[in-house]
């Protein structure tokens, strides 16, 4: 059985590869990278590599030859629908027998701009007839580190999402479920992977408990949110992207209640306090 993980040089892909390595032979594990140079560290770690780019349909066809089970980590926004279509078409042509795809929380009813590409990809996978699991990931705790670092540096935890709630969890926890799906765990076609949804006020208190540090917690307007991140060193265009995430949270796009995550893991999720301690260690 040959397993391939895409976006293998990213944090999520790296965690998934490590989990796979605990269960199957290195010779069965393949990592998709964009170039030989980018795959050098993974080769040294004992993984097989395949060269491919979602934007290059022919490269994906070559990369997926002989692959049985695919962990399809979603690409970056931009031309994502065409690129994801290339991956699905290549998987179909190669005879891939299973796809685990990292999707968006509540993708079939979400109104977030982020959801459209994921719903498109889910439909393409369904139309391909390839057995699959849609891993509808909520939000990585790691995504909040710019806000966290600003709070620890400037004594202000600034957010702009109002009372919106998010089901945060650690990236490695999401990746572990993805690896289990790839290995053939008996999962349903859709997993809503969400921690217990809580507000930024609760998140800030968890950070205080994790660090023993006191800081102001500020529910800001858009301008103040961007200015705070920019003052902490984040480029303003990137801060604007983070603001768009705040809109989603404020509009309850990540307020998804589901028992799927802990059931799939077989244990409780790491607490937010313990998660922050891990990330800040």
């Amino acid at each position: 059985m040959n397993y391939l993980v895409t976006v293998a040089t990213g944090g999520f892909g790296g965690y998934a590869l490590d989990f796979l390595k605990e269960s199957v032979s290195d010779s069965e594990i393949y990592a998709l990278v964009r170039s030989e140079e980018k795959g050098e560290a993974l080769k040294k770690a004992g993984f097989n590599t395949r060269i491919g780019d979602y934007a290059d349909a022919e490269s994906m066809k070559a990369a997926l030859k002989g692959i049985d089970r695919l962990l399809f980590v979603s690409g970056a926004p931009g031309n994502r629908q065409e690129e994801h279509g290339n991956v699905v078409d290549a998987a179909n042509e190669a005879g891939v027998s299973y796809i685990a795809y990292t999707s968006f929380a509540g993708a079939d009813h979400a109104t977030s701009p982020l959801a459209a590409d994921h719903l498109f990809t889910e439909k393409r996978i369904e139309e391909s007839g390839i057995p699959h699991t849609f891993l509808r990931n909520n939000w990585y705790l790691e995504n909040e580190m710019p806000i966290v670092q600003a709070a620890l540096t400037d004594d202000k935890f600034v957010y702009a999402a109002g009372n919106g709630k998010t089901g945060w969890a650690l990236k490695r926890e999401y990746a572990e479920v993805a690896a289990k799906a790839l290995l053939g765990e008996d999962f349903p076609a859709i997993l809503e992977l969400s921690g217990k949804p809580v507000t930024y006020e609760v998140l800030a208190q968890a950070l205080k408990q994790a660090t023993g540090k006191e800081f102001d917690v500020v529910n800001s307007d858009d301008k103040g949110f961007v200015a705070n991140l920019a003052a902490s060193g984040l480029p303003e265009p990137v801060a604007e992207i983070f603001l768009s995430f705040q809109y989603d949270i404020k509009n309850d796009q990540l307020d998804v209640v589901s028992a799927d995550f802990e059931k799939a893991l077989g244990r409780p999720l790491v607490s937010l306090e313990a998660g922050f301690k891990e990330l800040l260690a």
Side-chain angles (χ1 to χ4, degrees):
M1 187 73 71
N2 289 329
Y3 306 85
L4 184 138
V5 175
T6 73
V7 195
T9 55
F12 187 97
Y15 284 130
L17 288 169
D18 289 340
F19 284 120
L20 286 175
K21 200 170 184 176
E22 294 175 4
S23 301
V24 298
S25 166
D26 291 358
S27 64
E28 297 176 275
I29 305 174
Y30 291 79
L32 184 76
V33 295
R34 289 189 175 183
S35 67
E36 291 286 353
E37 183 181 30
K38 289 184 179 295
E40 190 174 331
L42 289 170
K43 276 189 174 181
K44 287 181 180 178
F47 298 109
N48 303 301
T49 58
R50 293 278 178 90
I51 309 299
D53 189 318
Y54 291 177
D56 183 344
E58 293 305 313
S59 77
M60 290 307 305
K61 290 176 183 178
L64 292 179
K65 282 183 179 177
I67 297 300
D68 300 296
R69 297 177 71 85
L70 171 66
L71 173 51
F72 177 7
V73 181
S74 59
N79 197 28
R80 193 154 51 179
Q81 292 190 13
E82 181 178 343
E83 293 176 1
H84 283 190
N86 289 340
V87 178
V88 178
D89 290 345
N92 215 358
E93 184 171 312
V96 169
S97 62
Y98 172 84
I99 297 174
Y101 171 67
T102 60
S103 190
F104 185 82
D108 55 345
H109 58 265
T111 58
S112 166
L114 294 174
D117 292 345
H118 294 291
L119 187 58
F120 168 88
T121 307
E122 287 189 4
K123 288 180 177 178
R124 282 295 296 271
I125 294 171
E126 287 175 338
E127 289 166 358
S128 76
I130 300 173
H132 56 269
T133 303
F134 299 144
L135 306 163
R136 290 184 173 171
N137 294 348
N138 197 290
W139 214 236
Y140 305 143
L141 188 59
E142 287 87 337
N143 292 350
E144 305 303 334
M145 292 310 289
I147 295 175
V148 168
Q149 295 294 354
L152 298 181
T153 302
D154 302 324
D155 296 327
K156 282 187 179 181
F157 183 103
V158 180
Y159 66 100
N163 293 319
K165 295 181 179 180
T166 303
W168 287 287
L170 289 169
K171 189 179 293 184
R172 67 169 175 81
E173 294 175 300
Y174 289 100
E176 182 174 351
V177 173
K180 291 175 76 169
L182 197 62
L183 290 166
E185 194 87 14
D186 186 21
F187 290 150
I190 296 174
L191 285 174
E192 287 288 352
L193 300 178
S194 176
K196 179 184 177 182
V198 297
T199 64
Y200 272 100
E201 282 280 352
V202 173
L203 189 72
Q205 292 307 312
L207 180 61
K208 288 182 178 182
Q209 292 165 1
T211 61
K213 185 176 175 64
E214 282 298 320
F215 44 78
D216 293 332
V217 181
V218 181
N219 182 14
S220 175
D221 60 14
D222 295 356
K223 184 177 179 180
F225 176 81
V226 171
N228 183 69
L229 289 182
S232 70
L234 203 67
E236 190 165 323
V238 179
E240 293 282 356
I241 293 172
F242 276 84
L243 177 62
S244 72
F245 302 153
Q246 295 288 296
Y247 291 157
D248 278 346
I249 294 169
K250 189 172 186 176
N251 292 327
D252 298 324
Q253 295 300 290
L254 298 177
D255 188 0
V256 177
V257 177
S258 172
D260 288 355
F261 207 164
E262 292 191 343
K263 189 180 295 185
L265 276 177
R267 64 176 186 275
L269 292 167
V270 170
S271 70
L272 295 175
E273 178 183 347
F276 278 133
K277 287 182 178 178
E278 181 176 323
L279 295 178
L280 294 168

